[in-house]
Amino acid sequence: MAKVIVAHGEILSKNGDINIARLKNIVIKSLRSLFDNLALKEVLLQIFPRPGKVGVKINTIAGKKLSTRPEVALTLSQILAENHPGLSRIIIWDRTNRELKKAGYRLQQRGKIQVFGTDTKGVGYESKLTMTTNIGSLFSHIQSKFIHHSLSLAILKDHGLAGVTAGLKNYFGAIHNPNKYHDQNCDPFVAELCTTPPIKAKHRLTIIDALLVQFHRGPSYHPRWASRENKLIFSLDPVAADHVGWQIIDQLRRRAGLPSLAEENRPPRYLHTAEALGLGHTSTNMEILEVEG
Amino acid sequence: MKRREFLKATPCLALFGPRALPEICRDLDALEIPPQLSKVEARYYQKLPDKEIECQLCPRQCRLGNKERGYCGVRENSEGTYYTLVYGKACSVHVDPIEKKPFFHFYPGQITLSLATAGCNVNCKFCQNWEISQVRPEQVHHFDFPPRMVVDTAKKYDCPIIAYTYTEPVVFYEYMVDTAKLGRRAGLKSVVVTGGHINPEPLEELISVVEAIKVDLKSFTQDFYDQYVRGKLQPVLEAIKKIAASPIWLEIVYLVIPTLNDSVKEIKNLSRWIKAEVGPDVPLHFSRFHPMYLLRNLPPTPISTLERAHQIAREEGLNYVYIGNVPGHQAESTYCPRCGTLLIKRWGFEVSKINLKDGKCPQCQTPIPGIWD
Ligand code: SF4
């Protein structure tokens, strides 16, 4: 049974500031809740049983307003670094340094916690294609070579084509040609991509930043349809996490008098494909726990 | 320098040294490509509310929010204005014989200045140039090569023709059209090598500025286009008809892939359609497939399959049918459809003999369609 933690607390203030202490508290509480309140160090050993480097794949495509917040990525990385001695490096990363900087990240290639994009000198993409059934892609060396464990730290958004962009679709940023994966509402492409070895063998945890949720006209930022939800979603099951994200978006749409994604003929069908491919669970077999902080 | 000597001295000349060669940022040292992309407003798109746009250049009609790129990866919406990122940003520039495109009835024996930018609006599983066509412009080495420089370079190297080729020129439409216009003013011709995925209105403008278009018709079934091209067949057929009805020159290439698009029925249907809708005189090239990109599990096309396709097309009444990618095959050469006289002798991309008199067969005086002088 998939367990999904939906954490809620006043983390993002109206003026856009992040309450770091509360954020840290909520992240720790949520991680522990995934394992019935086991001690944090034990939890991290369960998630990352072997030592190695961790990649924290964030989404910075939409600029400062609607990207995975630096405070969330850095707080999480600090928690990992301080509580799991076997994690030698934590790399917060996305496609380009330009996008990272625009989203408010400071690039850092030294130390235990690093921040850089695939276009950094010495990084780049594989030269050998990784095939899905339908498309072939070159993986970022960060995903394929630099890391042993992967964490999708996505942002929750409505997406004009895919319906929802969250943890699974976040991995589009790990390949050189995401533009080729947008046909047919991204189905089966999101799911197929996540079955490839560089992702499937390394993915450990999904965390979705739903502090501010773009519930309509995504994936770009439109303040009119962005809601300060102050939620974070955690799950070891990447499909279940995204499914809960979808429900949040549909709830917000209903509240705003908008048709549901299914009514607009763009539900994230790729989640069912992902379930069929054994990546996780959708609505059935799911336990949702709320955590307040 | 004669064309032959030139080609001998510079086979497939890369004009700008190693950086001109397609080279994806693949290894540890190769990166740090400065993302100096162009920001030239795209043509053929519509602005929509909430900073969205709809691209109307090709049948995909990508509808995109702010900061998103189209399927081709080289056009980007920035705050509700659509931009081409590859205007004047060539990633591959070579001097090629016109036969390499291939054009067989258009200035045979001439050389072309051939260029491409990154990007493509389909994703053929058998693409020969996927390392430049299936990448974003910032992932491939490119350099500034604005239209004026293209024209000057063509003149410097005695290339009377500029060819837009290698990837999919439709996605660098603005760059191509402006270069072709400038080239025409300087007395240069322009030819386009395309998959034909273009909407009628931009195609009309393109036809008005270039002298010839070669269309790669990938198959004659939508099923194949769905599975192996990720595009639509019908708009390609419409584009072919439009070009055929225009004053510019048209040739068609059909890459024959074993078991996938080589059935007798498909080749017959294709040949009948061409004869009925385009006419019997359009050159049709059956080209040999080699395992490539995502289609590596199939063997190269047997020569016998190509010969069978050739025979079917001839029996269906097409007058100029060729076999390509088989150097030395007799069906590389042009024969008079009436009396069988050898008119143009080719070996690979080399033309060794042109036996036309005022565009006619010297033997029986049959006019041979094409642009000859
Ligand atoms: S040219 Fe590119 S952006 Fe425009 S519709 Fe075609 S694929 Fe989409």
Side-chain angles (χ1 to χ4, degrees):
Chain A
M1 161 120 31
K3 190 187 258 187
V4 182
I5 308 298
V6 179
H8 182 263
E10 193 66 14
I11 298 170
L12 177 67
S13 73
K14 271 189 190 143
N15 60 16
D17 293 337
I18 298 270
N19 182 331
I20 304 279
R22 186 165 292 151
L23 168 67
K24 188 173 178 185
N25 180 40
I26 283 188
V27 171
I28 293 172
K29 225 170 152 181
S30 304
L31 287 171
R32 292 188 60 208
S33 298
L34 278 173
F35 291 87
D36 300 327
N37 284 323
L38 215 60
L40 179 63
K41 290 194 172 147
E42 289 298 316
V43 165
L44 296 183
L45 278 173
Q46 296 270 343
I47 299 173
F48 309 104
R50 281 188 306 281
K53 294 174 188 148
V54 181
V56 178
K57 171 67 183 70
I58 55 174
N59 180 344
T60 55
I61 197 171
K64 200 161 192 157
K65 289 268 167 40
L66 205 59
S67 293
T68 312
R69 275 161 197 78
E71 295 89 340
V72 177
L74 288 165
T75 301
L76 172 76
S77 300
Q78 264 163 16
I79 291 170
L80 300 186
E82 286 166 7
N83 293 283
H84 192 318
L87 302 181
S88 56
R89 192 171 300 165
I90 292 142
I91 303 171
I92 299 169
W93 70 284
D94 202 358
R95 298 184 311 185
T96 68
N97 287 331
R98 198 174 119 251
E99 284 170 332
L100 282 165
K101 282 195 269 187
K102 276 194 163 177
Y105 288 81
R106 234 187 42 224
L107 302 182
Q108 174 65 266
Q109 278 187 267
R110 295 223 173 103
K112 194 159 180 180
I113 298 174
Q114 305 191 347
V115 182
F116 57 86
T118 299
D119 65 342
T120 304
K121 187 173 172 58
V123 184
Y125 292 92
E126 293 280 328
S127 57
K128 234 180 118 197
L129 286 160
T130 297
M131 306 270 291
T132 63
T133 325
N134 283 290
I135 308 178
S137 290
L138 305 176
F139 264 92
S140 164
H141 278 140
I142 301 175
Q143 185 70 29
S144 65
K145 281 209 183 110
F146 290 15
I147 60 161
H148 305 96
H149 309 288
S150 178
L151 206 150
S152 180
L153 177 53
I155 182 131
L156 180 61
K157 296 190 279 188
D158 166 85
H159 191 282
L161 295 171
V164 170
T165 172
L168 289 171
K169 193 173 172 295
N170 186 25
Y171 281 117
F172 273 16
I175 51 169
H176 84 290
N177 57 347
N179 45 309
K180 301 288 173 180
Y181 283 66
H182 282 93
D183 277 348
Q184 296 160 206
N185 301 95
C186 304
D187 183 32
F189 309 112
V190 176
E192 284 188 353
L193 180 69
C194 292
T195 62
T196 56
I199 295 174
K200 196 176 177 190
K202 294 183 180 182
H203 180 80
R204 305 280 178 260
L205 176 67
T206 299
I207 303 178
I208 303 174
D209 172 345
L211 299 177
L212 183 75
V213 178
Q214 186 70 49
F215 59 90
H216 186 54
R217 283 272 185 266
S220 42
Y221 178 60
H222 299 279
R224 200 173 139 202
W225 295 297
S227 172
R228 199 165 56 92
E229 287 300 291
N230 266 319
K231 286 180 178 155
L232 292 169
I233 303 167
F234 295 74
S235 185
L236 301 173
D237 181 323
V239 185
D242 283 13
H243 182 87
V244 169
W246 171 17
Q247 302 315 307
I248 291 173
I249 285 185
D250 258 349
Q251 250 171 33
L252 290 170
R253 295 178 65 85
R254 257 198 307 281
R255 212 197 286 162
L258 293 163
S260 70
L261 294 175
E263 283 161 351
E264 282 200 349
N265 199 24
R266 53 186 186 97
R269 289 190 192 91
Y270 64 81
L271 291 181
H272 294 287
T273 308
E275 184 175 41
L277 291 173
L279 291 173
H281 302 88
T282 52
S283 51
T284 53
N285 275 331
M286 194 186 297
E287 180 193 4
I288 300 174
L289 284 183
E290 305 228 344
V291 166
E292 291 289 324
Chain B
M1 195 190 287
K2 289 227 170 72
R3 179 222 175 218
R4 255 209 188 163
E5 293 161 353
F6 179 89
L7 285 176
K8 225 173 157 188
T10 58
C12 208
L13 178 71
L15 289 172
F16 293 87
R19 286 221 133 202
L21 297 172
E23 189 184 330
I24 194 157
C25 41
R26 59 166 53 129
D27 51 47
L28 293 180
D29 306 325
L31 250 150
E32 196 92 281
I33 298 160
Q36 292 157 342
L37 307 178
S38 69
K39 204 171 178 189
V40 172
E41 186 165 4
R43 294 166 207 166
Y44 298 103
Y45 78 97
Q46 199 188 345
K47 292 190 181 205
L48 301 170
D50 304 315
K51 294 183 183 168
E52 291 196 342
I53 67 95
E54 184 181 270
C55 180
Q56 295 170 336
L57 182 53
C58 94
R60 282 191 177 275
Q61 310 242 140
C62 297
R63 192 183 165 131
L64 304 165
N66 188 20
K67 296 195 165 68
E68 286 193 297
R69 281 196 201 175
Y71 183 88
C72 53
V74 300
R75 306 166 81 77
E76 187 170 277
N77 177 357
S78 178
E79 304 297 330
T81 301
Y82 207 36
Y83 294 99
T84 163
L85 307 177
V86 290
Y87 189 99
K89 304 290 177 184
C91 68
S92 191
V93 180
H94 300 267
V95 173
D96 287 341
I98 189 91
E99 283 73 23
K100 195 177 172 187
K101 305 297 114 191
F103 282 101
F104 277 13
H105 290 223
F106 187 88
Y107 296 102
Q110 282 293 2
I111 52 170
T112 66
L113 179 69
S114 298
L115 62 95
T117 75
C120 184
N121 55 0
V122 291
N123 187 4
C124 300
K125 286 189 171 167
F126 41 87
C127 184
Q128 290 178 29
N129 290 326
W130 70 270
E131 285 168 307
I132 48 174
S133 70
Q134 299 303 323
V135 299
R136 296 177 156 225
E138 55 271 64
Q139 294 165 337
V140 72
H141 288 302
H142 58 259
F143 44 85
D144 283 320
F145 199 38
R148 166 55 60 200
M149 200 191 280
V150 176
V151 170
D152 291 347
T153 307
K155 295 198 109 174
K156 184 175 162 195
Y157 284 89
D158 285 332
C159 300
I161 301 165
I162 303 167
Y164 311 90
T165 178
Y166 304 133
T167 56
E168 175 47 69
V170 168
V171 308
F172 58 89
Y173 184 89
E174 296 79 4
Y175 177 32
M176 168 170 62
V177 164
D178 288 0
T179 306
K181 281 183 188 166
L182 213 56
R184 186 173 278 178
R185 266 185 252 142
L188 303 175
K189 314 250 179 283
S190 277
V191 301
V192 183
V193 175
T194 174
H197 266 93
I198 181 167
N199 280 341
E201 209 188 321
L203 176 58
E204 219 154 90
E205 187 189 347
L206 183 63
I207 285 170
S208 74
V209 299
V210 302
E211 278 70 26
I213 300 182
K214 186 217 84 179
V215 178
D216 283 303
L217 182 57
K218 321 265 179 183
S219 148
F220 205 60
T221 68
Q222 182 52 48
D223 192 44
F224 181 97
Y225 267 81
D226 284 339
Q227 282 195 55
Y228 298 99
V229 179
R230 307 210 68 79
K232 296 267 174 274
L233 169 63
Q234 198 52 41
V236 178
L237 298 180
E238 294 304 324
I240 289 174
K241 285 202 280 186
K242 202 170 183 66
I243 301 162
S246 78
I248 70 168
W249 185 248
L250 165 72
E251 302 201 12
I252 298 172
V253 167
Y254 188 94
L255 183 75
V256 183
I257 305 176
T259 72
L260 300 185
N261 66 357
D262 64 343
S263 73
V264 169
K265 188 175 161 212
E266 188 166 352
I267 303 292
K268 256 192 189 162
N269 288 344
L270 162 81
S271 306
R272 284 177 187 167
W273 181 86
I274 291 178
K275 190 178 173 202
E277 300 289 342
V278 185
D281 287 337
V282 64
L284 171 63
H285 306 251
F286 288 113
S287 208
R288 189 180 198 201
F289 160 85
H290 289 277
M292 211 47 91
Y293 187 35
L294 305 177
L295 259 192
R296 291 175 180 272
N297 58 335
L298 292 171
T301 320
I303 309 288
S304 56
T305 306
L306 294 161
E307 288 171 340
R308 188 184 65 196
H310 180 274
Q311 191 190 340
I312 294 169
R314 289 288 288 128
E315 282 168 5
E316 290 298 331
L318 299 186
N319 288 328
Y320 303 97
V321 185
Y322 298 98
I323 288 179
N325 286 351
V326 187
H329 197 284
Q330 62 168 16
E332 283 185 315
S333 295
T334 304
Y335 303 88
C336 174
R338 187 150 157 230
C339 69
T341 298
L342 176 64
L343 300 174
I344 303 174
K345 187 163 172 52
R346 301 184 184 85
W347 202 103
F349 306 137
E350 280 285 315
V351 173
S352 56
K353 184 171 150 191
I354 299 181
N355 184 25
L356 285 167
K357 213 171 160 222
D358 302 325
K360 292 179 185 161
C361 169
Q363 213 55 37
C364 68
Q365 308 305 312
T366 297
I368 308 299
I371 316 282
W372 303 115
D373 51 23

